[in-house]
């Protein structure tokens, strides 16, 4: 059963009957709150922004508290300067990478021995110190020094680098 009713100025609409309400399975109608949508929480974005700002401020405070400057010292350069200082007679018991740094004499020449040097630093420091003396890596004295040969000799986790400075 449908009726058509004319409503001005719109086109005609059909009126349809609503379906009868379905009975609740337990005989009681559901509470009114069950049909309401959950309340929206509009403050999630603001909370995230506040937390982000707090983290940035905490990081800045920590940076300032720890000295406020960026570490620009390369450990390889630090090892090289420590070995040069040891050659001049300064006592440096451990080097920048935490290994032992010792000085010995053999055949009237001073030997500076750095133990536990990482591969990359071994190549870097060995190449620089070779200009001012002789380099021995893991007990091997290379007859012809090249970056490739140094890389081969320094391979591994902890190399022993011996420098015999020219006097």
């Amino acid at each position: 059963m449908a009726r058509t009713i004319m409503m001005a100025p719109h086109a005609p609409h059909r009126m349809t009957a609503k379906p009868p309400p379905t009975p609740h399975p337990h005989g009681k109608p559901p509470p009114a709150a069950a049909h309401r949508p959950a309340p929206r929480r509009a403050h999630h974005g603001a909370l995230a922004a506040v937390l982000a700002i707090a983290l940035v401020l905490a990081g800045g405070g920590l940076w300032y508290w720890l000295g406020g400057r960026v570490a620009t010292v390369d450990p390889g350069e630090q090892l090289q300067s420590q070995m040069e200082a040891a050659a001049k007679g300064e006592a440096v018991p451990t080097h920048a990478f935490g290994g032992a740094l010792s000085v010995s004499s053999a055949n009237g020449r001073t030997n500076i021995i750095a133990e536990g040097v990482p591969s990359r630093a071994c190549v870097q420091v060995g190449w620089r110190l070779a200009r001012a003396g002789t380099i021995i890596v893991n007990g091997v004295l290379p007859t012809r020094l090249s970056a490739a040969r140094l890389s081969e000799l320094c391979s591994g986790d902890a190399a022993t680098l011996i420098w015999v400075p020219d006097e």
Side-chain angles (χ1 to χ4, degrees):
M1 215 181 187
R3 288 193 219 172
T4 305
I5 300 175
M6 294 293 288
M7 300 181 78
H10 302 290
H13 293 277
R14 280 197 169 174
M15 298 211 35
T16 59
K18 287 186 180 179
T22 56
H24 194 268
H26 301 292
K28 298 182 203 174
H35 295 289
R36 289 188 198 143
R40 269 190 73 186
R41 296 182 182 163
H43 299 294
H44 286 295
L47 180 62
V50 168
L51 286 174
I53 291 170
L55 285 173
V56 168
L57 289 175
L62 181 63
W63 174 76
Y64 180 76
W65 183 62
L66 291 175
R69 59 186 178 277
V70 178
T72 57
V73 178
D74 178 28
E77 291 177 9
Q78 191 176 2
L79 173 62
Q80 178 183 350
S81 64
Q82 289 171 336
M83 290 181 79
E84 290 169 344
K88 293 177 184 173
E90 294 180 29
V92 183
T94 59
H95 57 72
F97 295 99
L101 184 64
S102 58
V103 178
S104 67
S105 280
N107 298 329
R109 310 270 325 247
T110 304
N111 297 325
I112 292 70
I113 305 159
E115 298 174 10
V117 179
S119 178
R120 184 174 180 202
C122 176
V123 173
Q124 176 187 10
V125 174
W127 187 254
R128 290 178 186 165
L129 291 176
R131 295 183 205 149
T134 305
I135 293 293
I136 302 168
V137 180
N138 291 329
V140 177
L141 173 65
T143 55
R144 187 165 184 205
L145 191 64
S146 68
R149 181 68 174 141
L150 259 178
S151 179
E152 180 184 314
L153 292 173
C154 289
S155 65
D157 291 338
T160 299
L161 183 64
I162 301 172
W163 177 48
V164 183
D166 292 336
E167 295 183 275

